[in-house]
């Protein structure tokens, strides 16, 4: 049985701002961890790779990108109230696909080069590599680097074409979502309360996993990634429905301790079954535990975020404009940091600490010192052009749009 829901006023959602910034900070830490976790393929691997890292990485991996896509859907929920189909496609196309093209041509190539050299399939000399990479005149050796079969790769930037695809799907079907049937579905979801909110959203995720997981392993190549698409788009749609509602956010806040306790219990059960099994366990029980933990973890984060982060933190305005450039830059800076630090043999404690520090420092220097200051570079990193002349400030309640990429209604988002 659903209850009536109300819509959010045009007040800034500081909790969503903060969660978005923190989610992408976790992405940076996760990608540093990928260099050190044993038996997980990545572009480069450390001689200090550790088996114990697999479990914390897996616990994080089960929900990290699902949370990001849900937050992206929340943004679209706000943004779609002020734009139609073609406005959404035009604005999102520029904000997502221009940084993708720039990143694939300028930011990502060093990752492919470093991996190809480490694999012994690319000759040293980045300039020569870059000319061949950009020209795509001849094929690369098989498995020279991730994406070598396509001649060019987007590596960590895969999130951008996925997000644009999901945005386009919703934008092209806006009449459906705005119809009586579409609004009924939104109300039914946002009207979930108590145990229904913690359990029912799991059912579509579990159904997709049972139907698709064994046939479509993750690829991040967009074309045949049907299992990940089913999960990510479902979470994106949940966020789109939730964005402008107040009741569902208040309920997630009310249930935050229950969802946290259940998430801990579910992941503990999952780990116990995995550790106790002779081989990797599979089947309905393990799929159910994974999907249940995914949703409970996201619900816990959203509930606690709404309770504790929904305030105008001093760092939030800076973080809102920095998060997109940091995302574009961070993985190449990790690879650069690896090539600088690995020859020094600093060990499994000092090296990763310095790698994280160098990555964060590089992101800050390049973003604050260069990207944000240049109107030539800002659109290439998903930022709006800076105004040439200062505009008189309006009262906060009258502001139509926050600084990019903010979260007022309507609110642009990358």
């Amino acid at each position: 049985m659903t209850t009536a829901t109300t819509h959010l006023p045009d007040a800034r959602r500081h909790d969503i701002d903060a969660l978005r910034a923190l989610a992408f900070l976790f992405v940076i830490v996760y990608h540093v961890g990928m260099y050190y976790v044993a038996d997980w393929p990545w572009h480069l691997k450390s001689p200090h790779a550790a088996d114990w890292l697999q479990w914390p990485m897996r616990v994080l991996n089960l929900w990290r990108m699902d949370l990001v896509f849900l937050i992206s859907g929340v943004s679209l929920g706000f943004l779609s109230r002020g734009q139609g189909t073609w406005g959404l496609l035009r604005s999102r196309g520029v904000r997502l696909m221009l940084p993708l093209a720039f990143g694939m041509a300028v930011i990502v190539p060093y990752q492919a080069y470093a991996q190809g050299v480490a694999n012994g399939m690319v000759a040293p000399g980045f300039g020569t590599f870059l000319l061949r990479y950009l020209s795509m005149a001849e094929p690369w050796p098989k498995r020279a680097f991730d994406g070598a079969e396509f001649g060019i790769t987007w590596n960590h930037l895969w999130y951008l074409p996925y997000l644009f695809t999901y945005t386009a799907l919703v934008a092209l079907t806006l009449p459906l979502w705005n119809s009586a049937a579409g609004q009924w579905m939104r109300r039914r979801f946002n009207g979930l309360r108590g145990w229904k909110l913690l359990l029912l959203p799991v059912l579509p995720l579990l159904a997709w996993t049972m139907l698709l997981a064994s046939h479509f392993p993750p690829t991040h190549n967009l074309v045949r990634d049907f299992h990940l698409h089913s999960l990510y788009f479902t979470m994106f749609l949940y966020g789109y429905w939730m964005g402008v509602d107040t009741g569902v956010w208040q309920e997630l806040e009310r249930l935050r301790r229950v969802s946290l306790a259940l998430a801990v219990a579910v992941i503990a059960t999952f780990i116990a079954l995995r550790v106790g099994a002779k081989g990797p366990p599979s089947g309905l029980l393990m799929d159910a535990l994974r999907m249940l933990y995914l949703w409970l973890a996201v619900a816990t984060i959203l509930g606690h975020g709404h309770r504790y982060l929904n305030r105008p933190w001093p760092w939030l305005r800076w973080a809102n404009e920095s998060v997109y450039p940091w995302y574009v830059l961070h993985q190449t800076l990790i690879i650069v940091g690896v090539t600088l630090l690995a020859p020094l043999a600093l060990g499994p404690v000092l090296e990763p600490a310095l790698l994280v520090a160098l990555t964060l420092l590089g992101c800050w220097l390049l973003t604050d010192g260069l990207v944000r200051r240049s109107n030539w570079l800002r659109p290439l990193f998903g930022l709006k052009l800076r105004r040439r002349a200062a505009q008189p400030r309006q009262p906060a309640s009258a502001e139509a749009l926050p600084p990019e990429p903010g979260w007022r209604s309507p609110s642009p988002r990358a």
Side-chain angles (χ1 to χ4, degrees):
M1 181 175 182
T2 61
T3 58
T5 60
T6 56
H7 285 168
L8 289 167
D10 289 345
R12 194 175 185 94
R13 286 296 304 276
H14 302 293
D15 56 325
I16 300 300
D17 281 327
L19 286 176
R20 177 172 177 266
L22 294 173
F24 278 99
L25 183 61
F26 270 117
V27 169
I28 295 176
V29 175
Y30 180 86
H31 284 155
V32 171
M34 286 297 294
Y35 176 59
Y36 292 101
V37 63
D39 298 328
W40 287 21
W42 202 57
H43 313 295
L44 301 176
K45 297 302 293 185
S46 171
H48 306 299
D51 292 325
W52 67 267
L53 268 176
Q54 291 184 9
W55 277 114
M57 292 284 286
R58 184 174 285 116
V59 167
L60 181 62
N61 191 47
L62 286 173
W63 55 261
R64 63 183 185 91
M65 290 308 300
D66 306 270
L67 173 65
V68 169
F69 279 109
L70 184 141
I71 291 174
S72 301
V74 171
S75 170
L76 187 66
F78 283 96
L79 181 61
S80 63
R81 295 203 298 173
Q83 297 190 57
T85 295
W86 302 114
L88 285 174
L89 290 175
R90 182 172 58 253
S91 62
R92 294 305 85 193
V94 172
R95 289 288 308 284
L96 296 172
M97 304 312 286
L98 182 58
L100 174 64
F102 174 76
M104 291 175 66
V106 178
I107 306 298
V108 169
Y110 187 78
Q111 300 178 33
Y113 167 74
Q115 184 178 4
V117 171
N119 290 341
M121 298 181 183
V122 170
F126 181 61
T128 302
F129 170 86
L130 186 60
L131 289 175
R132 178 179 172 184
Y133 176 88
L134 294 177
S135 68
M136 293 189 288
E138 54 182 305
W140 295 99
K142 190 175 182 180
R143 297 190 180 91
F145 54 85
D146 293 346
E149 63 272 24
F150 303 106
I152 191 169
T153 182
W154 51 44
N155 278 1
H156 70 292
L157 299 180
W158 63 267
Y159 163 74
L160 300 180
Y162 280 52
L163 179 56
F164 179 72
T165 300
Y166 304 157
T167 301
L169 285 174
V170 172
L172 292 171
T173 54
L174 272 182
L176 170 63
W177 304 115
N178 292 332
S179 68
Q183 292 302 307
W184 178 85
M185 292 175 64
R186 184 196 295 263
R187 288 194 302 270
R188 294 286 291 183
F189 181 86
N190 288 330
L192 295 175
R193 297 294 182 263
W195 67 268
K196 294 180 181 179
L197 182 56
L198 298 183
L199 294 181
L200 295 186
V202 179
L203 298 182
L205 304 174
L206 179 57
W208 301 137
T209 298
M210 294 172 60
L211 291 171
L212 300 174
S214 61
H215 303 290
F216 301 101
T219 61
H220 293 156
N221 69 6
L222 187 66
V223 178
R224 288 184 55 81
D225 220 3
F226 294 118
H227 179 224
L228 285 186
H229 283 317
S230 68
L231 299 181
Y232 292 157
F233 183 69
T234 299
M235 297 296 287
F236 181 80
L237 196 58
Y238 288 171
Y240 173 68
W241 284 338
M242 294 166 60
V244 295
D245 187 85
T246 54
V248 69
W249 292 99
Q250 292 169 356
E251 184 68 356
L252 286 169
E253 179 181 338
R254 187 183 74 84
L255 295 171
R256 67 189 186 278
R257 295 188 182 91
V258 175
S259 58
L260 174 60
L262 290 173
V264 172
V266 169
I267 194 60
T269 303
F270 179 84
I271 293 173
L273 292 175
R274 285 289 300 263
V275 171
K278 294 182 179 179
S282 59
L284 177 60
L285 175 60
M286 300 305 292
D287 288 341
L289 289 173
R290 285 172 53 230
M291 295 302 103
L292 183 57
Y293 169 69
L294 184 163
W295 176 247
L296 288 172
V298 170
T300 298
I301 292 167
L302 296 178
H304 281 84
H306 194 258
R307 175 65 178 86
Y308 297 109
L309 295 178
N310 198 15
R311 62 191 69 179
W313 301 96
W315 48 269
L316 211 46
R317 182 178 292 270
W318 167 83
N320 283 337
E321 196 169 64
S322 300
V323 63
Y324 201 160
W326 280 47
Y327 163 71
V328 173
L329 291 166
H330 80 275
Q331 186 157 292
T332 294
L333 290 176
I334 292 172
I335 298 296
V336 170
V338 166
T339 60
L340 293 174
L341 295 175
L344 303 179
L346 298 175
V349 177
L350 181 58
E351 182 186 271
L354 285 176
L355 184 56
V356 171
L358 286 175
T359 302
L360 298 180
L361 178 62
C363 287
W364 175 69
L365 288 174
L366 289 172
T367 299
D368 281 49
L370 186 61
V371 173
R372 293 177 63 186
R373 297 173 182 268
S374 170
N375 264 350
W376 290 96
L377 291 176
R378 288 176 67 89
L380 301 177
F381 287 87
L383 303 181
K384 275 190 172 181
L385 296 176
R386 298 180 74 173
R387 294 174 180 174
R388 294 298 183 182
Q391 300 294 322
R393 281 194 60 83
Q394 296 174 316
S397 60
E399 290 181 4
L401 290 175
E404 277 292 300
W407 290 85
R408 195 180 301 276
S409 172
S411 134
R413 153 76 162 88

